[in-house]
Amino acid sequence: MRALQLQRLDGPEGLQLVDVPEPEAGDSVLIDVVAAGVSFPDLLLTRGQYQLKPALPFIPGVEVAGVVRQAPAGAAVKPGQRVMAFSFGLGGFAEVAAIQPEMVFPIPAPWSFEAAAGVVMNYHTAHFALHRRGRLKAEETVVVHGAAGGVGTAAVQVARGAQARVIAVVSDERKAEVARRAGADDVLLSTGDWVAQIREKTGGLGANVVVDPVGGDVFDKSLKCLAPEGRLLVVGFASGRIPEVQVNRLLLRNIDVVGVAWGGFLLHEPSLTRTIAKDLEAMADRGVLAPIVGSVFPLEQGAQALRELDARRATGKVVLRMREG
């Protein structure tokens, strides 16, 4: 099978298109991959900057969508079924993937393979962040940073599904339009005084929940726009700087800084996967979830896809296309 293999820790330039043996099914679901999601962790992996540091060479990619070729007894999916999946063992940038059954889910009928390719990690992360870690309630105000990206658009839609008001923060007008398509009630530009604007739009109270996949200065400023008992959800550090906080600010203002690591938490409580999947399926049936696909690249242009993420040009979910589905 064809696959993109990382052979050097030189960033996207370290990727090489190779022919490698197909993975064995074993107790896994064997999937003929049609599309694979491209994520920020994939970019970090190519530089050796992610917490997971697999030995070289390896095939990046954790998100796939395709057709089941083979499934073990007792699996919730069957051969010939359209599925989306998440792989803890990487290997997604390839034409065939073998993934543990509990991380493989049917694709809702209206969704394309490209739309489904970025769903499991982004939407499960957004749901875990907002509901399990963020304790989101109906009619609360949620601020989503990076709201035009894969995690951001997912967070907008999951928050709307919980009947929350969503304020999106993005860097330019092109991304603002994507955030509106995702369902944001209000969109602010990060180039302006978005802290003051959030306070104005919330009657001086501030936001109940802030979703922050950016870190750096965005984190620092977000602390200033939280309402009493507000929760700042730390999802990632796309800006490159891991921020620090003076904890007396948390005490004096009665606010929380909450870590969000969906993948790591599943090792502690794997049953959460099915709970989240059921809730997301119900939202999809109601038409609340509509994954937004950004650029779609052929497999051999995987390095270019990662460079688009690195340059902050990406909107929606960046996807690699393996074959016609």
Side-chain angles (χ1 to χ4, degrees), residues 12-241:
E13 287 68 31
L15 288 170
Q16 184 72 36
L17 187 66
V18 297
D19 284 311
V20 296
E22 292 183 355
E24 296 183 2
D27 294 330
S28 299
V29 176
L30 202 62
I31 300 171
D32 289 318
V33 178
V34 176
V38 181
S39 66
F40 194 72
D42 293 319
L43 178 64
L44 296 179
L45 277 165
T46 67
R47 295 174 174 151
Q49 296 174 343
Y50 196 58
Q51 54 260 41
L52 177 68
K53 299 185 184 300
L56 293 171
F58 65 89
I59 300 169
V62 294
E63 308 167 277
V64 302
V67 178
V68 176
R69 181 194 298 182
Q70 183 178 336
V77 296
K78 58 186 179 181
Q81 192 168 6
R82 299 167 72 246
V83 295
M84 51 191 177
F86 176 88
S87 172
F88 284 106
L90 305 178
F93 291 179
E95 292 179 319
V96 182
I99 298 179
Q100 52 270 53
E102 62 272 18
M103 298 305 296
V104 182
F105 311 92
I107 298 176
W111 294 359
S112 67
F113 286 109
E114 289 89 349
V119 165
V120 178
M121 183 168 72
N122 287 342
Y123 281 82
H124 280 242
T125 295
H127 191 286
F128 175 68
L130 289 165
H131 288 279
R132 181 64 179 250
R133 303 296 292 140
R135 310 182 302 278
L136 180 63
K137 303 180 184 69
E139 298 183 6
E140 287 192 315
T141 297
V142 177
V143 170
V144 179
H145 292 290
V151 173
T153 53
V156 169
Q157 293 180 0
V158 171
R160 287 295 305 272
Q163 298 180 321
R165 175 192 179 191
V166 181
I167 301 175
V169 182
V170 296
S171 59
D172 58 44
E173 287 294 346
R174 180 177 65 95
K175 293 180 178 180
E177 180 56 34
V178 174
R180 292 187 188 99
R181 282 174 51 206
D185 297 289
D186 297 285
V187 182
L188 308 177
L189 295 181
S190 60
T191 51
D193 188 354
W194 51 268
V195 173
Q197 291 173 302
I198 288 169
R199 289 211 163 271
E200 178 184 352
K201 289 181 177 296
T202 56
L205 185 64
N208 304 106
V209 177
V210 176
V211 179
D212 177 20
V214 180
D217 293 343
V218 166
F219 174 93
D220 298 337
K221 293 180 179 179
S222 292
L223 288 173
K224 301 177 181 179
C225 63
L226 283 175
E229 298 189 277
R231 291 84 74 195
L232 174 49
L233 308 182
V234 180
V235 180
F237 312 104
S239 71
R241 179 172 73 85

Side-chain angles (χ1 to χ4, degrees), residues 250-267:
L250 311 184
L251 182 152
L252 293 172
R253 299 189 54 228
N254 289 295
I255 56 177
D256 298 349
V257 173
V258 183
V260 178
W262 165 72
F265 192 83
L266 292 184
L267 301 176

Side-chain angles (χ1 to χ4, degrees), residues 301-315:
Q301 293 181 17
Q304 184 177 341
L306 287 169
R307 284 192 286 268
E308 182 167 292
L309 284 181
D310 197 22
R312 305 293 191 269
R313 294 193 302 267
T315 58

